[in-house]
Amino acid sequence: MSGPVLPGATVGVLGSGQLGRMLALVARRMGYRVHVYAPGSDSPAGQVADREWNADYDDRSSVATFARGVDVVTLEFENVPAATVEEVSSAVPVRPGQKALRTAQNRLREKTFLHAGGYPTAPFREVSERSALEGALREIGAPAVLKTAGFGYDGKGQARLDAAEDADEAWEAVGGEAILESRVDFEREISVVAARGVDGSFAHHGAVENAHDRHILDVTVAPADVPPEVEREAVGITRSIFEALDLVGTACVEFFLAPGGKLLVNEIAPRPHNSGHWTIEGAVTSQFEQQLRAVCGLPLGGTGQARPAAMANLIGDLWSGGEPDWEAVCSLPEVKLHLYGKAEARPVRKMGHLTAVADTAEAAENMVREARERLTASA
Ligand code: AMP
């Protein structure tokens, strides 16, 4: 194995959204150079990188030139085409690695991997044509959720089915290769953000609790209010999944906590996750620094949590009455503002987030929710 990629070297990032931006900010603090590759210019990550490539993922010659100019590559967006990742891998190490990416890119592959590995999930069935939908619904029972197999995130490409009569509408909304999954009557949603190093070392940020709005993450509270054995089990499952995928980098496993304390794995994100943004202020080492350390082959940092924290997303809808009142949140001493530099505030677009730290998780959550309300109070 070659040695670590040390400060001064250049880290390549495929994808140029907010996750790449927060990685690039840490990387530059630690003395690395950062090149980001994605279609589009003036992107959230491109604005803070040393170099922004604006080219398509299937532009093989640009991909090859990008790869020759960097020392290691990571992804901030798991739906980068497999052929692009392969092209880059022929020149330079790509982390988290093909197995993790291939598995997480497609819900059917992901759920099949989880099922085969004995990890608990909601019952599911493959549905690749319309005619299979009613049969699958009979097998797993209503209510259920039809989810597109490829390219689905943040609840996009999902439809709820309460009865066979909903099949046409659900198929219309999702179509193509899909899975039908039992709708889980969960008590809570939790996630574990963790990192795995090149040497197999593992460090986690504990279990956090997530509240969603319209299938999009809304608020994360760290730590989650769950019994220690539930957290231990969630962390154990996360570690085992990372090992089975031979994953190197930061990633997240999302869980449903069903009645009776039963954990079900919902999803694996093979990259830093929105539910780990609080770590920038709330943990000794943020999920982005861990990603950088892991992909560069450095030792992982400590993940101790200094104080309870909460994060609230700032979604484009907040801009509907005009520019939010930034001064109102900046006047709160324990609240931190993050904006991703996106030019246009579309309704469900993630534009930024707020983090609050406090003496208790409840106080942090109240503070961050109130802070967000202040943004539009005068509108
Ligand atoms: P996903 O894109 O699969 O992470 O789904 C986004 C959100 O939709 C989840 O975090 C849940 O709030 C909700 N959801 C997804 N699948 C299910 C399910 N099987 N049962 C209940 N809620 C779900």
Side-chain angles (χ1 to χ4, degrees):
M1 197 200 304
S2 53
V5 175
L6 294 169
T10 303
V11 176
V13 183
L14 292 167
S16 61
Q18 62 266 21
L19 302 178
R21 180 184 180 95
M22 289 182 268
L23 169 65
L25 289 170
V26 167
R28 296 194 66 160
R29 164 169 68 73
M30 287 177 62
Y32 288 89
R33 293 188 175 275
V34 181
H35 291 186
V36 305
Y37 187 104
S41 61
D42 195 33
S43 61
Q47 288 166 14
V48 300
D50 294 271
R51 174 150 189 206
E52 179 180 43
W53 283 78
N54 173 5
D56 287 336
Y57 290 123
D58 55 12
D59 175 349
R60 292 190 64 162
S61 113
S62 293
V63 169
T65 317
F66 158 78
R68 281 198 299 274
V70 299
D71 298 291
V72 66
V73 167
T74 189
L75 289 84
E76 65 97 55
F77 167 62
E78 66 264 38
N79 291 314
V80 172
T84 308
V85 175
E86 222 163 277
E87 176 83 48
V88 177
S89 314
S90 64
V92 72
V94 179
R95 292 164 181 154
Q98 304 271 23
K99 187 172 180 193
L101 288 171
R102 220 184 107 70
T103 306
Q105 266 178 352
N106 177 286
R107 284 188 201 277
L108 179 58
R109 278 202 292 271
E110 181 180 67
K111 285 274 151 68
T112 306
F113 156 81
L114 291 167
H115 184 70
Y119 302 104
T121 65
F124 69 94
R125 291 288 182 277
E126 175 179 359
V127 179
S128 24
E129 46 196 57
R130 168 68 187 84
S131 58
L133 191 47
E134 275 90 350
L137 187 62
R138 262 195 309 280
E139 281 177 34
I140 65 164
V145 189
L146 185 68
K147 298 181 174 182
T148 180
F151 246 99
Y153 62 101
D154 284 343
K156 290 179 190 135
Q158 289 195 20
R160 185 188 163 121
L161 279 92
D162 288 311
E165 290 80 75
D166 301 332
D168 277 334
E169 200 181 316
W171 185 256
E172 193 66 23
V174 173
E177 190 190 30
I179 62 166
L180 186 74
E181 193 177 287
S182 271
R183 198 177 156 79
V184 180
D185 190 15
F186 54 78
E187 278 174 359
R188 294 164 195 274
E189 287 190 81
I190 66 169
S191 57
V192 176
V193 171
R196 184 165 176 269
V198 172
D199 60 356
S201 53
F202 178 82
H204 66 86
H205 287 286
V208 301
E209 184 162 345
N210 301 316
H212 290 79
D213 179 22
R214 290 167 293 169
H215 299 291
I216 300 174
L217 183 64
D218 185 39
V219 170
T220 294
V221 179
D225 182 16
V226 294
E229 61 275 16
V230 169
E231 174 163 48
R232 263 199 305 277
E233 190 190 344
V235 169
I237 290 173
T238 302
R239 181 173 193 159
S240 166
I241 289 174
F242 282 22
E243 284 168 2
L245 293 175
D246 201 18
L247 185 146
V248 173
T250 288
C252 174
V253 179
E254 294 177 56
F255 299 88
F256 298 127
L257 182 57
K262 186 163 174 48
L263 282 170
L264 301 171
V265 177
N266 174 34
E267 212 168 36
I268 306 162
R271 47 158 174 81
H273 190 257
N274 199 167
S275 68
H277 290 358
W278 64 272
T279 58
I280 295 175
E281 289 87 7
V284 173
T285 309
S286 76
Q287 61 167 349
F288 300 102
E289 183 171 338
Q290 289 295 51
Q291 178 187 22
L292 179 75
R293 285 169 174 251
V295 303
C296 289
L298 292 174
L300 299 178
T303 45
Q305 183 172 357
R307 289 169 79 198
M311 184 284 320
N313 269 337
L314 305 179
I315 304 291
D317 309 46
L318 275 176
W319 275 248
S320 60
E323 192 70 12
D325 184 358
W326 305 124
E327 268 180 80
V329 291
C330 290
S331 66
L332 297 168
E334 304 270 31
V335 174
K336 297 292 176 190
L337 172 66
H338 297 250
L339 288 173
Y340 307 146
K342 296 183 184 178
E344 197 196 337
R346 290 197 292 271
V348 291
R349 197 170 197 203
K350 290 176 179 171
M351 302 296 293
H353 69 268
L354 301 175
T355 306
V357 288
D359 291 336
T360 65
E362 196 188 353
E365 180 178 0
N366 289 339
M367 201 186 290
V368 84
R369 285 184 183 275
E370 276 170 39
R372 188 170 57 180
E373 276 165 25
R374 283 190 178 209
L375 285 174
T376 50
S378 58

